PDB file of all heavy atoms in Angstrom:
ATOM      1  N   MET V  73       1.047  -2.097  16.950  1.00 97.00           N
ATOM      2  CA  MET V  73       1.382  -3.549  17.217  1.00 97.00           C
ATOM      3  C   MET V  73       0.263  -4.397  17.685  1.00 97.00           C
ATOM      4  O   MET V  73      -0.425  -3.984  18.631  1.00 97.00           O
ATOM      5  CB  MET V  73       2.575  -3.617  18.203  1.00 97.00           C
ATOM      6  CG  MET V  73       3.148  -4.936  18.518  1.00 97.00           C
ATOM      7  SD  MET V  73       4.792  -4.930  19.333  1.00 97.00           S
ATOM      8  CE  MET V  73       4.341  -4.047  20.879  1.00 97.00           C
ATOM      9  N   ASP V  74       0.048  -5.532  17.038  1.00 96.00           N
ATOM     10  CA  ASP V  74      -0.816  -6.580  17.369  1.00 96.00           C
ATOM     11  C   ASP V  74      -0.363  -7.169  18.843  1.00 96.00           C
ATOM     12  O   ASP V  74       0.744  -6.899  19.184  1.00 96.00           O
ATOM     13  CB  ASP V  74      -0.745  -7.718  16.388  1.00 96.00           C
ATOM     14  CG  ASP V  74      -1.720  -8.918  16.591  1.00 96.00           C
ATOM     15  OD1 ASP V  74      -2.756  -8.660  17.306  1.00 96.00           O
ATOM     16  OD2 ASP V  74      -1.397  -9.890  15.995  1.00 96.00           O
ATOM     17  N   LEU V  75      -1.316  -7.738  19.616  1.00 94.00           N
ATOM     18  CA  LEU V  75      -0.813  -8.239  20.935  1.00 94.00           C
ATOM     19  C   LEU V  75      -0.389  -9.828  20.825  1.00 94.00           C
ATOM     20  O   LEU V  75       0.493 -10.225  21.271  1.00 94.00           O
ATOM     21  CB  LEU V  75      -2.039  -8.047  21.854  1.00 94.00           C
ATOM     22  CG  LEU V  75      -2.309  -6.579  22.234  1.00 94.00           C
ATOM     23  CD1 LEU V  75      -3.569  -6.512  23.126  1.00 94.00           C
ATOM     24  CD2 LEU V  75      -1.017  -5.980  22.879  1.00 94.00           C
ATOM     25  N   SER V  76      -1.273 -10.539  20.093  1.00 93.00           N
ATOM     26  CA  SER V  76      -0.998 -11.967  19.985  1.00 93.00           C
ATOM     27  C   SER V  76      -0.098 -12.140  18.795  1.00 93.00           C
ATOM     28  O   SER V  76      -0.452 -12.045  17.552  1.00 93.00           O
ATOM     29  CB  SER V  76      -2.280 -12.734  19.664  1.00 93.00           C
ATOM     30  OG  SER V  76      -3.201 -12.534  20.711  1.00 93.00           O
ATOM     31  N   LEU V  77       1.173 -12.342  19.099  1.00 96.00           N
ATOM     32  CA  LEU V  77       2.269 -12.386  18.060  1.00 96.00           C
ATOM     33  C   LEU V  77       3.175 -13.582  18.233  1.00 96.00           C
ATOM     34  O   LEU V  77       3.434 -13.895  19.389  1.00 96.00           O
ATOM     35  CB  LEU V  77       3.146 -11.223  17.954  1.00 96.00           C
ATOM     36  CG  LEU V  77       2.505  -9.708  17.562  1.00 96.00           C
ATOM     37  CD1 LEU V  77       3.309  -8.596  18.041  1.00 96.00           C
ATOM     38  CD2 LEU V  77       2.393  -9.836  16.039  1.00 96.00           C
ATOM     39  N   PRO V  78       3.736 -14.235  17.218  1.00 97.00           N
ATOM     40  CA  PRO V  78       4.670 -15.269  17.452  1.00 97.00           C
ATOM     41  C   PRO V  78       6.061 -14.735  17.966  1.00 97.00           C
ATOM     42  O   PRO V  78       6.313 -13.616  17.924  1.00 97.00           O
ATOM     43  CB  PRO V  78       4.857 -15.790  16.040  1.00 97.00           C
ATOM     44  CG  PRO V  78       4.404 -14.779  15.136  1.00 97.00           C
ATOM     45  CD  PRO V  78       3.482 -13.940  15.764  1.00 97.00           C
ATOM     46  N   GLU V  79       6.797 -15.627  18.631  1.00 96.00           N
ATOM     47  CA  GLU V  79       8.105 -15.392  19.158  1.00 96.00           C
ATOM     48  C   GLU V  79       8.081 -14.628  20.345  1.00 96.00           C
ATOM     49  O   GLU V  79       8.797 -14.850  21.332  1.00 96.00           O
ATOM     50  CB  GLU V  79       9.049 -14.813  18.097  1.00 96.00           C
ATOM     51  CG  GLU V  79       9.400 -15.708  16.915  1.00 96.00           C
ATOM     52  CD  GLU V  79      10.268 -15.206  15.996  1.00 96.00           C
ATOM     53  OE1 GLU V  79      11.569 -15.259  16.239  1.00 96.00           O
ATOM     54  OE2 GLU V  79       9.837 -14.707  14.932  1.00 96.00           O
ATOM     55  N   MET V  80       7.424 -13.454  20.450  1.00 96.00           N
ATOM     56  CA  MET V  80       7.377 -12.608  21.643  1.00 96.00           C
ATOM     57  C   MET V  80       6.031 -11.741  21.538  1.00 96.00           C
ATOM     58  O   MET V  80       5.786 -11.199  20.488  1.00 96.00           O
ATOM     59  CB  MET V  80       8.543 -11.583  21.455  1.00 96.00           C
ATOM     60  CG  MET V  80       8.709 -10.862  22.860  1.00 96.00           C
ATOM     61  SD  MET V  80      10.092  -9.635  22.698  1.00 96.00           S
ATOM     62  CE  MET V  80      11.556 -10.608  22.888  1.00 96.00           C
ATOM     63  N   ASP V  81       5.157 -11.974  22.547  1.00 96.00           N
ATOM     64  CA  ASP V  81       3.946 -11.145  22.474  1.00 96.00           C
ATOM     65  C   ASP V  81       3.971  -9.740  22.516  1.00 96.00           C
ATOM     66  O   ASP V  81       5.015  -9.191  22.962  1.00 96.00           O
ATOM     67  CB  ASP V  81       2.856 -11.947  23.331  1.00 96.00           C
ATOM     68  CG  ASP V  81       3.087 -11.580  24.863  1.00 96.00           C
ATOM     69  OD1 ASP V  81       3.441 -10.476  25.212  1.00 96.00           O
ATOM     70  OD2 ASP V  81       3.001 -12.594  25.582  1.00 96.00           O
ATOM     71  N   GLY V  82       2.945  -9.098  22.156  1.00 96.00           N
ATOM     72  CA  GLY V  82       2.932  -7.582  22.146  1.00 96.00           C
ATOM     73  C   GLY V  82       3.108  -6.951  23.457  1.00 96.00           C
ATOM     74  O   GLY V  82       3.719  -5.955  23.592  1.00 96.00           O
ATOM     75  N   TRP V  83       2.596  -7.458  24.600  1.00 96.00           N
ATOM     76  CA  TRP V  83       2.687  -6.957  25.745  1.00 96.00           C
ATOM     77  C   TRP V  83       4.200  -6.909  26.245  1.00 96.00           C
ATOM     78  O   TRP V  83       4.781  -6.061  26.876  1.00 96.00           O
ATOM     79  CB  TRP V  83       1.892  -7.755  26.816  1.00 96.00           C
ATOM     80  CG  TRP V  83       0.410  -7.829  26.643  1.00 96.00           C
ATOM     81  CD1 TRP V  83      -0.469  -6.750  26.940  1.00 96.00           C
ATOM     82  CD2 TRP V  83      -0.351  -8.866  26.032  1.00 96.00           C
ATOM     83  NE1 TRP V  83      -1.612  -7.065  26.605  1.00 96.00           N
ATOM     84  CE2 TRP V  83      -1.772  -8.279  25.935  1.00 96.00           C
ATOM     85  CE3 TRP V  83      -0.025 -10.017  25.552  1.00 96.00           C
ATOM     86  CZ2 TRP V  83      -2.769  -9.082  25.523  1.00 96.00           C
ATOM     87  CZ3 TRP V  83      -1.093 -10.787  24.910  1.00 96.00           C
ATOM     88  CH2 TRP V  83      -2.346 -10.340  24.963  1.00 96.00           C
ATOM     89  N   THR V  84       4.835  -8.104  25.929  1.00 97.00           N
ATOM     90  CA  THR V  84       6.267  -8.209  26.383  1.00 97.00           C
ATOM     91  C   THR V  84       7.162  -7.241  25.516  1.00 97.00           C
ATOM     92  O   THR V  84       7.965  -6.601  26.123  1.00 97.00           O
ATOM     93  CB  THR V  84       6.817  -9.731  26.088  1.00 97.00           C
ATOM     94  OG1 THR V  84       5.947 -10.591  26.730  1.00 97.00           O
ATOM     95  CG2 THR V  84       8.322  -9.887  26.553  1.00 97.00           C
ATOM     96  N   VAL V  85       6.820  -7.118  24.193  1.00 98.00           N
ATOM     97  CA  VAL V  85       7.583  -6.195  23.382  1.00 98.00           C
ATOM     98  C   VAL V  85       7.374  -4.781  23.960  1.00 98.00           C
ATOM     99  O   VAL V  85       8.355  -3.974  24.019  1.00 98.00           O
ATOM    100  CB  VAL V  85       7.192  -6.264  21.823  1.00 98.00           C
ATOM    101  CG1 VAL V  85       8.003  -5.234  21.109  1.00 98.00           C
ATOM    102  CG2 VAL V  85       7.524  -7.727  21.410  1.00 98.00           C
ATOM    103  N   ALA V  86       6.111  -4.486  24.175  1.00 98.00           N
ATOM    104  CA  ALA V  86       5.802  -3.157  24.817  1.00 98.00           C
ATOM    105  C   ALA V  86       6.647  -2.773  26.055  1.00 98.00           C
ATOM    106  O   ALA V  86       7.263  -1.690  26.111  1.00 98.00           O
ATOM    107  CB  ALA V  86       4.359  -2.909  25.004  1.00 98.00           C
ATOM    108  N   GLY V  87       6.711  -3.702  26.878  1.00 97.00           N
ATOM    109  CA  GLY V  87       7.498  -3.402  28.178  1.00 97.00           C
ATOM    110  C   GLY V  87       8.893  -3.279  27.860  1.00 97.00           C
ATOM    111  O   GLY V  87       9.548  -2.362  28.463  1.00 97.00           O
ATOM    112  N   THR V  88       9.476  -4.031  26.950  1.00 98.00           N
ATOM    113  CA  THR V  88      10.912  -3.919  26.506  1.00 98.00           C
ATOM    114  C   THR V  88      11.201  -2.521  25.832  1.00 98.00           C
ATOM    115  O   THR V  88      12.153  -1.903  26.218  1.00 98.00           O
ATOM    116  CB  THR V  88      11.224  -5.108  25.577  1.00 98.00           C
ATOM    117  OG1 THR V  88      10.964  -6.276  26.220  1.00 98.00           O
ATOM    118  CG2 THR V  88      12.725  -5.170  25.394  1.00 98.00           C
ATOM    119  N   LEU V  89      10.142  -2.234  24.963  1.00 98.00           N
ATOM    120  CA  LEU V  89      10.429  -0.954  24.282  1.00 98.00           C
ATOM    121  C   LEU V  89      10.317   0.322  25.248  1.00 98.00           C
ATOM    122  O   LEU V  89      11.133   1.277  25.054  1.00 98.00           O
ATOM    123  CB  LEU V  89       9.322  -0.731  23.207  1.00 98.00           C
ATOM    124  CG  LEU V  89       9.328  -1.506  21.930  1.00 98.00           C
ATOM    125  CD1 LEU V  89       8.052  -1.406  21.115  1.00 98.00           C
ATOM    126  CD2 LEU V  89      10.552  -1.242  21.077  1.00 98.00           C
ATOM    127  N   LYS V  90       9.438   0.289  26.193  1.00 97.00           N
ATOM    128  CA  LYS V  90       9.365   1.338  27.090  1.00 97.00           C
ATOM    129  C   LYS V  90      10.423   1.399  28.112  1.00 97.00           C
ATOM    130  O   LYS V  90      10.672   2.500  28.760  1.00 97.00           O
ATOM    131  CB  LYS V  90       8.003   1.420  27.788  1.00 97.00           C
ATOM    132  CG  LYS V  90       6.875   1.614  26.744  1.00 97.00           C
ATOM    133  CD  LYS V  90       6.932   3.033  26.107  1.00 97.00           C
ATOM    134  CE  LYS V  90       5.846   3.296  25.064  1.00 97.00           C
ATOM    135  NZ  LYS V  90       6.019   4.513  24.340  1.00 97.00           N
ATOM    136  N   GLN V  91      11.290   0.323  28.319  1.00 97.00           N
ATOM    137  CA  GLN V  91      12.265   0.320  29.271  1.00 97.00           C
ATOM    138  C   GLN V  91      13.689   0.743  28.716  1.00 97.00           C
ATOM    139  O   GLN V  91      14.689   0.822  29.237  1.00 97.00           O
ATOM    140  CB  GLN V  91      12.455  -1.044  30.010  1.00 97.00           C
ATOM    141  CG  GLN V  91      11.487  -1.295  31.094  1.00 97.00           C
ATOM    142  CD  GLN V  91      11.313  -2.701  31.431  1.00 97.00           C
ATOM    143  OE1 GLN V  91      12.286  -3.414  31.274  1.00 97.00           O
ATOM    144  NE2 GLN V  91      10.218  -3.144  31.884  1.00 97.00           N
ATOM    145  N   ASP V  92      13.680   0.821  27.399  1.00 97.00           N
ATOM    146  CA  ASP V  92      14.902   1.212  26.616  1.00 97.00           C
ATOM    147  C   ASP V  92      14.744   2.636  26.098  1.00 97.00           C
ATOM    148  O   ASP V  92      13.811   3.066  25.475  1.00 97.00           O
ATOM    149  CB  ASP V  92      14.898   0.330  25.339  1.00 97.00           C
ATOM    150  CG  ASP V  92      16.122   0.600  24.516  1.00 97.00           C
ATOM    151  OD1 ASP V  92      16.897   1.617  24.635  1.00 97.00           O
ATOM    152  OD2 ASP V  92      16.476  -0.437  23.717  1.00 97.00           O
ATOM    153  N   ALA V  93      15.764   3.476  26.482  1.00 96.00           N
ATOM    154  CA  ALA V  93      15.747   4.882  26.280  1.00 96.00           C
ATOM    155  C   ALA V  93      15.693   5.153  24.700  1.00 96.00           C
ATOM    156  O   ALA V  93      15.086   6.255  24.422  1.00 96.00           O
ATOM    157  CB  ALA V  93      16.987   5.444  26.766  1.00 96.00           C
ATOM    158  N   VAL V  94      16.167   4.263  23.949  1.00 95.00           N
ATOM    159  CA  VAL V  94      16.168   4.535  22.572  1.00 95.00           C
ATOM    160  C   VAL V  94      14.817   4.488  21.835  1.00 95.00           C
ATOM    161  O   VAL V  94      14.500   5.184  21.053  1.00 95.00           O
ATOM    162  CB  VAL V  94      17.045   3.446  21.863  1.00 95.00           C
ATOM    163  CG1 VAL V  94      17.007   3.562  20.287  1.00 95.00           C
ATOM    164  CG2 VAL V  94      18.477   3.552  22.304  1.00 95.00           C
ATOM    165  N   THR V  95      13.900   3.673  22.451  1.00 98.00           N
ATOM    166  CA  THR V  95      12.603   3.466  21.970  1.00 98.00           C
ATOM    167  C   THR V  95      11.433   3.934  22.779  1.00 98.00           C
ATOM    168  O   THR V  95      10.280   3.949  22.415  1.00 98.00           O
ATOM    169  CB  THR V  95      12.352   1.897  21.595  1.00 98.00           C
ATOM    170  OG1 THR V  95      12.641   1.162  22.836  1.00 98.00           O
ATOM    171  CG2 THR V  95      13.239   1.463  20.513  1.00 98.00           C
ATOM    172  N   ALA V  96      11.782   4.297  24.069  1.00 97.00           N
ATOM    173  CA  ALA V  96      10.673   4.580  25.053  1.00 97.00           C
ATOM    174  C   ALA V  96       9.842   5.724  24.645  1.00 97.00           C
ATOM    175  O   ALA V  96       8.667   5.748  24.932  1.00 97.00           O
ATOM    176  CB  ALA V  96      11.360   5.040  26.385  1.00 97.00           C
ATOM    177  N   ASP V  97      10.217   6.746  23.762  1.00 96.00           N
ATOM    178  CA  ASP V  97       9.433   7.981  23.420  1.00 96.00           C
ATOM    179  C   ASP V  97       8.627   7.779  22.185  1.00 96.00           C
ATOM    180  O   ASP V  97       7.931   8.553  21.704  1.00 96.00           O
ATOM    181  CB  ASP V  97      10.304   9.173  23.114  1.00 96.00           C
ATOM    182  CG  ASP V  97      11.106   9.549  24.514  1.00 96.00           C
ATOM    183  OD1 ASP V  97      10.426   9.306  25.608  1.00 96.00           O
ATOM    184  OD2 ASP V  97      12.111  10.215  24.426  1.00 96.00           O
ATOM    185  N   ILE V  98       8.780   6.576  21.475  1.00 97.00           N
ATOM    186  CA  ILE V  98       8.059   6.308  20.236  1.00 97.00           C
ATOM    187  C   ILE V  98       6.682   5.939  20.643  1.00 97.00           C
ATOM    188  O   ILE V  98       6.343   5.126  21.435  1.00 97.00           O
ATOM    189  CB  ILE V  98       8.694   5.175  19.409  1.00 97.00           C
ATOM    190  CG1 ILE V  98      10.130   5.344  19.102  1.00 97.00           C
ATOM    191  CG2 ILE V  98       7.908   4.879  18.247  1.00 97.00           C
ATOM    192  CD1 ILE V  98      10.863   4.286  18.442  1.00 97.00           C
ATOM    193  N   PRO V  99       5.590   6.713  20.037  1.00 97.00           N
ATOM    194  CA  PRO V  99       4.157   6.350  20.362  1.00 97.00           C
ATOM    195  C   PRO V  99       3.936   4.940  20.046  1.00 97.00           C
ATOM    196  O   PRO V  99       4.335   4.509  19.054  1.00 97.00           O
ATOM    197  CB  PRO V  99       3.411   7.362  19.531  1.00 97.00           C
ATOM    198  CG  PRO V  99       4.362   8.472  19.203  1.00 97.00           C
ATOM    199  CD  PRO V  99       5.743   7.844  19.164  1.00 97.00           C
ATOM    200  N   LEU V 100       3.383   4.296  20.904  1.00 97.00           N
ATOM    201  CA  LEU V 100       3.104   2.804  20.764  1.00 97.00           C
ATOM    202  C   LEU V 100       1.596   2.348  20.905  1.00 97.00           C
ATOM    203  O   LEU V 100       1.171   2.601  22.013  1.00 97.00           O
ATOM    204  CB  LEU V 100       3.998   2.000  21.843  1.00 97.00           C
ATOM    205  CG  LEU V 100       3.793   0.570  21.813  1.00 97.00           C
ATOM    206  CD1 LEU V 100       4.270  -0.140  20.501  1.00 97.00           C
ATOM    207  CD2 LEU V 100       4.570  -0.003  23.064  1.00 97.00           C
ATOM    208  N   PHE V 101       0.917   1.965  19.877  1.00 96.00           N
ATOM    209  CA  PHE V 101      -0.476   1.637  19.752  1.00 96.00           C
ATOM    210  C   PHE V 101      -0.629   0.141  19.667  1.00 96.00           C
ATOM    211  O   PHE V 101      -0.067  -0.331  18.687  1.00 96.00           O
ATOM    212  CB  PHE V 101      -1.200   2.644  18.887  1.00 96.00           C
ATOM    213  CG  PHE V 101      -1.638   3.909  19.275  1.00 96.00           C
ATOM    214  CD1 PHE V 101      -0.701   4.811  19.932  1.00 96.00           C
ATOM    215  CD2 PHE V 101      -2.907   4.316  19.144  1.00 96.00           C
ATOM    216  CE1 PHE V 101      -1.145   6.038  20.404  1.00 96.00           C
ATOM    217  CE2 PHE V 101      -3.451   5.633  19.566  1.00 96.00           C
ATOM    218  CZ  PHE V 101      -2.503   6.410  20.246  1.00 96.00           C
ATOM    219  N   ALA V 102      -1.548  -0.320  20.479  1.00 95.00           N
ATOM    220  CA  ALA V 102      -1.913  -1.709  20.236  1.00 95.00           C
ATOM    221  C   ALA V 102      -2.944  -1.767  19.145  1.00 95.00           C
ATOM    222  O   ALA V 102      -3.888  -0.967  19.052  1.00 95.00           O
ATOM    223  CB  ALA V 102      -2.492  -2.317  21.554  1.00 95.00           C
TER     224      ALA V 102
END
Side-chain angles (χ1 to χ4, degrees):
M73 184 162 62
D74 182 25
L75 292 174
S76 304
L77 287 164
E79 294 182 77
M80 191 184 277
D81 68 45
W83 298 279
T84 306
V85 177
T88 306
L89 289 171
K90 292 301 180 184
Q91 280 165 29
D92 183 341
V94 173
T95 51
D97 293 337
I98 302 172
L100 175 64
F101 272 51

